[in-house]
Amino acid sequence: MTSRQIAFFVDATRCINCKTCEVACREVSNTGGSRRLRRVRSFEGGDFPQVFAYNISMSCNHCEHPICVEHCPTGAYSKRTSDGIVVHNPKRCIGCRYCTWLCPYGAPQYDPKEGTVRKCNLCLDQIEEGDTPVCVASCPMRAIEIGSLEEIATRQGATISIRNLPSSEVTKPACRYRVRKEALDVEP
């Protein structure tokens, strides 16, 4: 059990799909090709005249019960007890990609150049220096924040049950989102 679980809060009602968070993350994490440690996904649906569309900016959810930590055959993943951040040690990773298959949110990304997996570490270096993750700092709409899960979970509209996303029951993601009612995992 962590003493203070750090979590992302993403206000999807403010996300304009500009992908600035993706670009900033890619720059800092030095990923190339199709690998993105943070992704903005767009969803749309419904029947005229009741249509909906929404954007979800997502990276590793730093889950309360991370399936990657539980099932990594080499122990390359760990969950810090001080803040709940799920970290990946590339020196222990053998590139088996088991975590990429298990994570319901697609957070771990295989890097064929390095032969290992990479994932969001919540810009751990910046957090330890008192700064914020690059995705938070770069978002022009201020749609992404970090804070304690305890505080974030009490925000108005905070949820993890979002239409088109996997069930939160398996890993208990430590992130919360504010979405319009059309995006909730129930019929509007």
Side-chain angles (χ1 to χ4, degrees), residues 107-127:
Q109 299 284 305
Y110 181 69
D111 186 337
K113 185 177 176 184
E114 295 178 12
T116 60
V117 171
R118 299 178 76 184
K119 66 169 254 345
C120 163
N121 67 359
L122 226 144
C123 289
L124 190 55
D125 294 341
Q126 280 123 286
I127 287 178

Side-chain angles (χ1 to χ4, degrees), residues 6-141:
I6 293 179
F8 282 113
F9 179 76
V10 179
D11 187 344
T13 66
R14 300 180 85 175
C15 179
I16 59 172
N17 198 16
C18 69
K19 299 188 182 348
T20 303
C21 57
E22 273 189 28
V23 173
C25 176
R26 187 178 217 159
E27 183 71 23
V28 166
S29 61
N30 199 22
T31 56
S34 62
R35 289 174 313 284
R36 297 175 295 169
L37 304 186
R38 174 165 287 282
R39 294 179 305 276
V40 178
R41 296 176 176 171
S42 297
F43 299 99
E44 53 200 41
D47 294 312
F48 183 79
Q50 295 179 338
V51 296
F52 63 86
Y54 57 94
N55 306 304
I56 299 289
S57 176
M58 183 179 283
S59 67
C60 176
N61 287 300
H62 301 280
C63 299
E64 293 182 66
H65 301 292
I67 201 164
C68 56
V69 172
E70 185 180 338
H71 294 288
C72 178
T74 64
Y77 288 94
S78 61
K79 183 171 176 70
R80 293 168 33 129
T81 55
S82 61
D83 52 23
I85 296 174
V86 176
V87 293
H88 178 261
N89 181 346
K91 292 178 182 169
R92 295 191 77 173
C93 180
I94 59 172
C96 68
R97 303 183 216 180
Y98 195 45
C99 57
T100 65
W101 302 326
L102 287 173
C103 177
Y105 300 98
Q109 299 284 305
Y110 181 69
D111 186 337
K113 185 177 176 184
E114 295 178 12
T116 60
V117 171
R118 299 178 76 184
K119 66 169 254 345
C120 163
N121 67 359
L122 226 144
C123 289
L124 190 55
D125 294 341
Q126 280 123 286
I127 287 178
E128 289 178 343
E129 292 176 12
D131 292 331
T132 59
V134 68
C135 59
V136 173
S138 66
C139 179
M141 300 306 291

Side-chain angles (χ1 to χ4, degrees), residues 3 39 55 94 133 146 150 152 162-163 172 178 186:
S3 58
R39 294 179 305 276
N55 306 304
I94 59 172
I146 63 162
E150 184 177 76
I152 284 173
I162 302 171
R163 184 186 300 228
K172 300 211 180 299
R178 178 181 296 135
V186 294

